[in-house]
Amino acid sequence: MEYSIITLILLFFSLVYFRAATHYNITDTPNQRSAHSVVTVRGGGVLYPFAFILFLIQKFFSGSEEIASYLVLGAGLFMLCTVSFIDDVRQLSSKIRLVFQFLSVIPLLYFLGVFDVVSPVWIPICFIFIIGILNAFNFMDGINGMSGLYSLITLATLFFINQNLVSFTEPDFILYPSLASLVFLFFNFRKKAKCFMGDVGSMGVAFWIIALIGLLIMKTGELKWILLLTVYGVETGITIMERIRLRENIMEAHRRHLYQLFANDLKTPHLWVSSGYTLAQIIISVIVIGTDTPDKMLIPLVILITIAAYLFIKVKIKKQISHDPL
């Protein structure tokens, strides 16, 4: 009953936001780099910080002793989502965004207890890695259904692990963002989406997922759980290297991602592409869950195989595009 009520509240909140966003022109207008053709509401991912507020309210009324810890995490989440929403409304410089991303990571690491157990030498690497994941989610949020479906499957995987393999957090901490993903997908997983996630959504759900994977890593002592984000990581990393090689500004919009080649050049339906990416991650996640291979062997092996598969597909598609008649 509780989850049905939360879902209805999230649904009602979305409808209210759509009206406000339309009134204040918080929308995406198609341009030559766009993968859509109609004006669409931007920032629909504001559901995630709102879901976190609902989670905090639930913790408060249940008298949870852990609410102080969640408030610390919330400080980072709301800081990140606020600047991201402002960027959705009026574009901010990349330097300002990076400063606030850096600041938001501090309460996240405190929440995870990283400062107490990790050598100070590794702390800068933690910052770089987390900020990289945040921006990877932002870069990958480019077609209908992509980030919503990918996030939902990642959260579902974490829920399975939590319930069946190792208990690393309370179920509600996974279920609330999952419900937000379901509601968002109701409006986004369509041929003509009613809304886009926006920076506030891609950053918000990424932050929440990072917190969950961080808790899992801290509980098990295994780094292999970062592979639950392999597809996004490989896609983003290779695309950034490609753009650096071409001397392009990696912070500017582009159409070099593999999913963009599928959607824009091959005209593959968005929902097929999004589902394909999600299926690829499901396969990887099943392998990660089912193997006892040590981290030092499993992580590089999975990443290298994924890179090889990615490059093979991308090269093949580029050849196909170059041979198509104009």
Side-chain angles (χ1 to χ4, degrees):
M1 184 65 178
E2 172 193 344
Y3 302 119
S4 298
I5 294 173
I6 295 300
T7 302
L8 289 174
I9 293 174
L10 290 169
L11 183 61
F12 177 74
F13 177 80
S14 294
L15 296 174
V16 172
Y17 174 75
F18 292 166
R19 295 196 65 175
T22 301
H23 177 76
Y24 291 104
N25 197 33
I26 308 175
T27 57
D28 262 332
T29 302
N31 56 46
Q32 62 179 0
R33 297 181 184 272
S34 301
H36 62 288
S37 57
V38 296
V39 176
T40 309
V41 169
R42 187 193 316 140
V46 72
L47 273 172
Y48 292 104
F50 182 69
F52 195 87
I53 292 174
L54 296 179
F55 174 75
L56 288 178
I57 293 173
Q58 185 264 350
K59 299 305 295 179
F60 176 79
F61 283 105
S62 66
S64 172
E65 296 179 356
E66 297 179 344
I67 190 169
S69 179
Y70 287 121
L71 284 172
V72 170
L73 179 67
L77 176 66
F78 295 132
M79 183 191 309
L80 179 65
C81 288
T82 297
V83 73
S84 297
F85 184 72
I86 294 173
D87 188 51
D88 284 330
V89 176
R90 52 181 304 176
Q91 191 171 8
L92 297 175
S93 73
S94 58
K95 292 180 180 179
I96 293 177
R97 298 199 304 270
L98 284 172
V99 167
F100 279 93
Q101 288 169 20
F102 176 87
L103 293 174
S104 71
V105 173
I106 297 174
L108 171 59
L109 294 180
Y110 183 84
F111 169 78
L112 295 174
V114 171
F115 294 118
D116 297 326
V117 298
V118 175
S119 169
V121 177
W122 291 99
I123 296 298
I125 296 176
C126 291
F127 273 90
I128 294 171
F129 188 70
I130 291 173
I131 291 174
I133 295 175
L134 290 172
N135 283 284
F137 267 77
N138 193 26
F139 294 154
M140 292 297 293
D141 181 33
I143 60 174
N144 298 353
M146 176 67 83
S147 284
L149 194 58
Y150 191 87
S151 298
L152 180 62
I153 290 302
T154 304
L155 289 164
T157 303
L158 288 164
F159 185 78
F160 174 83
I161 294 169
N162 190 60
Q163 297 300 106
N164 297 280
L165 301 181
V166 54
S167 178
F168 62 91
T169 189
E170 55 187 301
D172 282 353
F173 194 49
I174 307 176
L175 289 173
Y176 274 61
S178 299
L179 293 176
S181 296
L182 282 172
V183 173
F184 173 75
L185 284 169
F186 176 74
F187 296 107
N188 181 258
F189 195 75
R190 309 177 180 206
K191 184 176 181 180
K192 292 185 178 180
K194 297 293 184 181
C195 70
F196 295 144
M197 186 173 280
D199 287 6
V200 62
S202 58
M203 289 288 182
V205 69
F207 191 89
W208 207 325
I209 288 174
I210 292 168
L212 288 166
I213 293 178
L215 288 172
L216 179 56
I217 290 173
M218 297 296 286
K219 179 74 173 184
T220 62
E222 297 178 297
L223 290 174
K224 73 175 186 177
W225 305 114
I226 62 174
L227 295 174
L228 298 181
L229 301 175
T230 299
V231 173
Y232 267 23
V234 168
E235 166 96 31
T236 302
I238 293 180
T239 303
I240 287 176
M241 287 189 287
E242 180 182 2
R243 299 196 70 199
I244 291 175
R245 179 176 62 84
L246 296 172
R247 298 182 180 180
E248 295 178 353
N249 185 342
I250 63 172
M251 301 306 293
E252 291 182 353
H254 63 95
R255 296 179 71 164
R256 297 195 180 277
H257 281 293
L258 177 58
Y259 75 82
Q260 292 171 319
L261 297 180
F262 272 117
N264 299 322
D265 295 277
L266 297 185
K267 306 301 179 185
T268 307
H270 289 199
L271 304 188
W272 290 16
V273 179
S274 299
S275 298
Y277 270 70
T278 302
L279 178 60
Q281 184 59 63
I282 290 174
I283 294 171
I284 294 172
S285 297
V286 169
I287 293 172
V288 171
I289 291 173
T291 184
D292 292 326
T293 306
D295 287 352
K296 62 182 179 181
M297 294 178 59
L298 180 64
I299 293 175
L301 182 62
V302 170
I303 292 177
L304 287 174
I305 292 175
T306 306
I307 290 174
Y310 175 88
L311 290 175
F312 174 79
I313 295 172
K314 195 166 190 177
V315 170
K316 188 174 182 180
I317 289 178
K318 284 187 173 183
K319 287 182 179 179
Q320 180 179 340
I321 293 171
S322 65
H323 285 94
D324 283 344
L326 296 177

